[in-house]
Amino acid sequence: MVDKEKQSEIKIDFNTAKNIIFPEFFEWEGCVLLRQDRNDILLSQFLPNQFIPDRTAFEADYNHVHLNDFFSENFSPIQVFILATKIIKVWAATLYKQFNPNKKFILILSFDDEEAVLRFYTVRENESPWLDTSSIESYLDGLMVIEV
């Protein structure tokens, strides 16, 4: 007989996922960024280009995380999604605590039955939002959006 408690137990390697589970945010060139263990070297200043026209687009790109990459293959997509719903709340609380009332953010969790992607960006009055929430029903992936 299978022990149901053991069957649903999820083990996480915190060394791999610590920057995702315990987020640290920093400011660079008018952007709020998630500190990640990656080798991206930020330039001395923000430079828009044809793919990233403004700071909002830069943040949405830089601050996107494919959560499946941080958890072992033993995790089912649904288990990663369930963890993602917890992680987005931690990110929202941390951003609120660190930047309220000076900045507002949109956090987005997308899920396509296989992969969970989490991202965020700062709301700016002089730039278009990265996600048009008025047409959210038109997206094929499931989306969870939190405004902080």
Side-chain angles (χ1 to χ4, degrees):
M1 188 167 164
V2 176
D3 183 351
K4 288 196 181 264
E5 193 172 306
K6 291 272 188 203
Q7 190 178 22
S8 64
E9 187 175 287
I10 296 175
K11 293 184 180 175
I12 298 171
D13 177 0
F14 283 106
N15 290 326
T16 305
K18 70 178 179 201
N19 290 350
I20 304 307
I21 297 170
F22 306 108
E24 183 181 328
F25 302 104
F26 66 98
E27 293 187 76
W28 170 84
E29 278 293 295
C31 297
V32 174
L33 305 177
L34 171 68
R35 191 168 313 281
Q36 301 178 52
D37 286 335
R38 57 189 214 189
N39 295 326
D40 291 351
I41 297 173
L42 293 169
L43 301 173
S44 61
Q45 65 183 39
F46 172 75
L47 298 171
N49 61 49
Q50 65 181 1
F51 304 108
I52 301 178
D54 56 28
R55 284 175 170 78
T56 300
F58 177 78
E59 284 178 343
D61 180 62
Y62 188 92
N63 293 324
H64 89 278
V65 176
H66 294 261
L67 293 171
N68 300 57
D69 295 347
F70 291 90
F71 302 104
S72 73
E73 293 175 8
N74 299 343
F75 282 64
S76 71
I78 280 297
Q79 287 174 314
V80 174
F81 171 73
I82 290 167
L83 278 171
T85 62
K86 311 284 187 220
I87 292 169
I88 194 172
K89 292 175 186 175
V90 171
W91 285 22
T94 305
L95 285 165
Y96 179 85
K97 182 179 178 187
Q98 190 171 345
F99 297 101
N100 187 58
N102 301 322
K103 294 183 185 290
K104 300 215 177 295
F105 302 95
I106 299 290
L107 293 88
I108 304 161
L109 170 59
S110 62
F111 184 65
D112 65 2
D113 292 330
E114 291 296 321
E115 189 163 24
V117 177
L118 184 55
R119 73 176 75 227
F120 76 92
Y121 62 88
T122 304
V123 175
R124 295 176 174 86
E125 289 188 23
N126 61 338
E127 294 180 6
S128 297
W130 183 83
L131 175 73
D132 180 6
T133 55
S134 68
S135 64
I136 205 165
E137 298 82 23
S138 67
Y139 288 87
L140 297 176
D141 295 352
L143 296 177
M144 176 180 183
V145 178
I146 297 177
E147 296 181 40
V148 176

